[in-house]
Every structure is written in C-alpha cells, then in structure tokens.
Amino acid sequence: MKYVIPFLIILALTSCKSKEEQLKESILPVLTNAIIQDSLVHKIDSIKILKIDTLTDSLYAERRLLNKSKLFDYYLSRSKMYQTQAELDGRSAKLSQQQSTLYYEYLNSSTLGSMSADDAKSKIASLKENLDKSTVYIDSAKKVNAEMQRIENDLKIRKNKPKGFRGFLVTFNLLGTDKKNMEIKKDTMLLYLSPALRVLPINKI
C-alpha cells in the first residue's frame, strides 16, 4: 500500500506533463506550416515553443486592436509620404512652367521652352498620381480606424462578461536561413490558433 500513493502521484504528474507535450506536438506541424506559408525563412533550422497561453475573447480583441493600430499608422505614413511627393511635384511643375515662359518670351528659344513645358506636364502627371495614391492610403486608414472603433466598443461590452475561450496563443522562437543561406533569428513570435488548431488570421479580420 505504501507504494501505491507515490505511484499515483508520479502517474498524475506524468499525465499532466504528457497533455502539455501532446499539445505542443500537435501544434508544431501547424506552426511549421504557418512559417512556410508566410515565408518567414527559406529553411527552418529550429523552432522552440516557449509557452502556450489560453486565448480569451478579450485578449483576442486586444491583439486585433494592436495590429489594426499598427496598420493604421502604416497607411497614414504612406499617405503623408505621397502627399509630400505631390507637393514637391507641384513646386517643380511651377518652376518648369516659369522656365518655359522665360525661354519662349525672353530668350526666344522654342527648343528649351518646349523641353521645360514637357517637364512641367510630366511633373503635373506625377503630382496627380501621387495624390491618387495618397487618397487610397487615406481611405484605407479610415476603414481601419472604423474597425478599431468597433473592436474598442466590443471590448467595452465584454469588460464585465465572462472570458470566453477563443483558442491558444503560442509564443515561439525561430531559427532559420534565407535563400542566400544567411542566418535568420526571430525571437518571441506569436501564433494565434483556434480550439481546433487552425491559424486565426488576426491581421486580416
């Protein structure tokens, strides 16, 4: 009888450990496939799963909000970049138009005048193109901002509600190489999985 209780304790500990190990073993091929699909590395040398956390509805929403915030900042910065380029094109077009007038009216040079006029047209076309690109990114930023508002409202609603089980949040380290066989090391990366161990495309929702 004295051997039965220690045996049961060891059996219980082994059972708990095996469940965690079984979950890691089940997640590893899903994780490997996700890394390949996203082209994070050309060749995988090693994957180390650091921890597996429970992904609640609230945590999932918070992570989505964080990703949307980064996407919003990206769209905004791209819009400003094209806006700045459009302003430079406008100044350059104005200068070319002034030069064209100078060549035609004061220097009586139709060749130089025509070249400056063509340059002005080119800059005006570039200005319009950059303004269009800026508008596209602004529109995208507005859409993301609206999505962020919906997520924030959802978080407020869920604040005093029980935390639902959304899946798993896997934290891992990755070591691999690129196509030139250069080492790539990515630390503390995250993968979001459903209860059925399907990848949750958190950036696309």
Side-chain angles (χ1 to χ4, degrees), residues 73-155:
D73 290 341
Y74 169 75
Y75 285 150
L76 208 58
S77 66
R78 296 291 289 182
S79 176
K80 287 180 179 178
M81 182 189 76
Y82 285 116
Q83 181 69 37
T84 300
Q85 186 59 52
E87 291 173 0
L88 293 174
D89 287 335
R91 292 184 195 131
S92 182
K94 185 177 180 180
L95 179 61
S96 293
Q97 287 171 338
Q98 290 173 344
Q99 287 177 335
S100 178
T101 301
L102 176 65
Y103 290 137
Y104 276 126
E105 296 183 5
Y106 296 98
L107 299 181
N108 198 27
S109 175
S110 58
T111 301
L112 292 176
S114 178
M115 289 174 61
S116 293
D118 289 342
D119 186 59
K121 289 178 183 178
S122 175
K123 292 300 180 182
I124 290 172
S126 179
L127 181 151
K128 291 178 179 178
E129 183 181 347
N130 283 313
L131 283 179
D132 287 342
K133 289 179 179 179
S134 178
T135 301
V136 169
Y137 279 109
I138 278 290
D139 290 342
S140 297
K142 288 178 179 178
K143 289 179 182 178
V144 172
N145 188 56
E147 291 170 2
M148 289 168 63
Q149 292 296 325
R150 286 195 292 269
I151 296 172
E152 287 176 347
N153 292 335
D154 185 54
L155 278 170

Side-chain angles (χ1 to χ4, degrees), residues 1-34:
M1 184 69 182
K2 64 180 180 180
Y3 297 107
V4 174
I5 294 176
F7 174 75
L8 291 175
I9 293 173
I10 293 171
L11 184 63
L13 291 173
T14 305
S15 177
C16 290
K17 184 179 179 182
S18 64
K19 285 181 180 178
E20 183 181 348
E21 291 302 320
Q22 284 175 7
L23 183 58
K24 283 187 177 182
E25 288 175 4
S26 299
I27 287 175
L28 189 58
V30 180
L31 178 56
T32 302
N33 186 60

Side-chain angles (χ1 to χ4, degrees), residues 27 51-55 59 63 167-171 189-193:
I27 287 175
K51 62 177 179 175
I52 303 171
D53 294 315
T54 299
L55 184 61
L59 179 58
R63 293 290 179 173
F168 304 98
L169 175 56
V170 184
T171 306
M189 299 195 69
L190 301 174
L191 181 71
Y192 302 85
L193 297 175

